[in-house]
Amino acid sequence: MGLRILAVDDSRTIRDLLAATLSAAGMDVTLAEDGVEGLEMLRRMGRPDAILSDINMPRLDGFGFIHAVREIDPMRAVPILVLTTESAPELKTRAREAGATGWIVKPFDPERLVHSIRKVTG
């Protein structure tokens, strides 16, 4: 079985692209449409190998989601890559302070995304 990835994004198109890209790379992908559902999925699936999260989402945004994940003991060391259209340095800093591992700007290059996930999961 490949790497277990949780991908959280409110865009169905992005979730579909992530599922196709990561599945094709042999990864097992679980999808959620916002931070609230992302936390619910984490409770169900247990510790993933990595998490991808958008920033701008309803109910619980990416910053709140990342912070909440880092509060869960077994999830403290799980790599979290932010996948967003945002590129402002202050948002990157805020994400890093919340506990994000890295930052990828949409639209993403499928090969670079897979490479980034493999890099952070070592």
Side-chain angles (χ1 to χ4, degrees):
M1 185 165 96
L3 294 171
R4 294 175 60 230
I5 310 298
L6 172 63
V8 185
D9 199 298
D10 61 323
S11 164
R12 176 178 294 280
T13 304
I14 294 295
R15 287 195 310 273
D16 290 348
L17 276 170
L18 288 170
T21 298
L22 302 178
S23 296
M27 298 180 193
D28 179 25
V29 186
T30 299
L31 302 170
E33 63 184 44
D34 61 31
V36 171
E37 189 180 21
L39 291 171
E40 196 176 291
M41 291 299 163
L42 278 177
R43 280 192 285 280
R44 287 189 203 159
M45 72 185 289
R47 189 182 188 280
D49 295 299
I51 298 170
L52 298 173
S53 178
D54 189 12
I55 290 294
N56 300 311
M57 300 181 287
R59 297 201 299 167
L60 180 61
D61 71 8
F63 299 118
F65 171 69
I66 293 166
H67 183 75
V69 169
R70 292 301 186 221
E71 294 290 309
I72 304 167
D73 219 24
M75 306 297 171
R76 289 186 200 273
V78 174
I80 301 175
L81 296 175
V82 173
L83 184 63
T84 182
T85 56
E86 303 288 344
S87 60
E90 61 272 13
L91 294 178
K92 289 181 182 181
T93 299
R94 190 172 162 206
R96 207 172 301 119
E97 287 170 353
T101 310
W103 189 276
I104 299 168
V105 177
K106 295 182 215 171
F108 63 88
D109 172 80
E111 284 182 29
R112 287 182 63 189
L113 177 65
V114 168
H115 175 76
S116 296
I117 292 170
R118 290 198 170 123
K119 187 176 174 183
V120 299
T121 56

